[in-house]
Amino acid sequence: FFNRVRRHLPWEVILCVDQSGSMTDSVIHSAVMAGILAALPAVKVKLVVFDTSIVDLTEYASDPVEVLMSV
């Protein structure tokens, strides 16, 4: 049974998103992308948004609607 098991290193993806007024479209796309990546079992996702301060939204990364409401 061990021949079928492949060992792999888990990926860690850090999404840094600019949430300023001119970057509204990128916030929407990155929220959806964070939701997709958070659903993958081999990927750890960290979501950080910044403008004048830095906010860690990692716990909301799996829910794009919650990310958009938080921003």
Side-chain angles (χ1 to χ4, degrees):
F1 295 111
F2 292 111
N3 290 336
R4 294 183 185 172
V5 176
R6 290 187 185 179
R7 295 182 185 226
H8 62 279
L9 297 174
W11 286 26
E12 186 169 355
V13 177
I14 302 171
L15 295 171
C16 297
V17 182
D18 183 5
Q19 65 173 358
S20 63
S22 63
M23 301 299 286
T24 305
D25 293 337
S26 70
V27 172
I28 295 169
H29 292 298
S30 62
V32 172
M33 184 58 70
I36 292 169
L37 291 175
L40 298 174
V43 178
K44 289 183 182 179
V45 177
K46 295 189 185 266
L47 179 62
V48 179
V49 295
F50 64 93
D51 187 11
T52 57
S53 63
I54 299 171
V55 179
D56 184 16
L57 296 177
T58 302
E59 65 264 8
Y60 303 121
S62 61
D63 187 13
V65 175
E66 189 66 36
V67 171
L68 293 174
M69 294 300 168
S70 301
V71 170

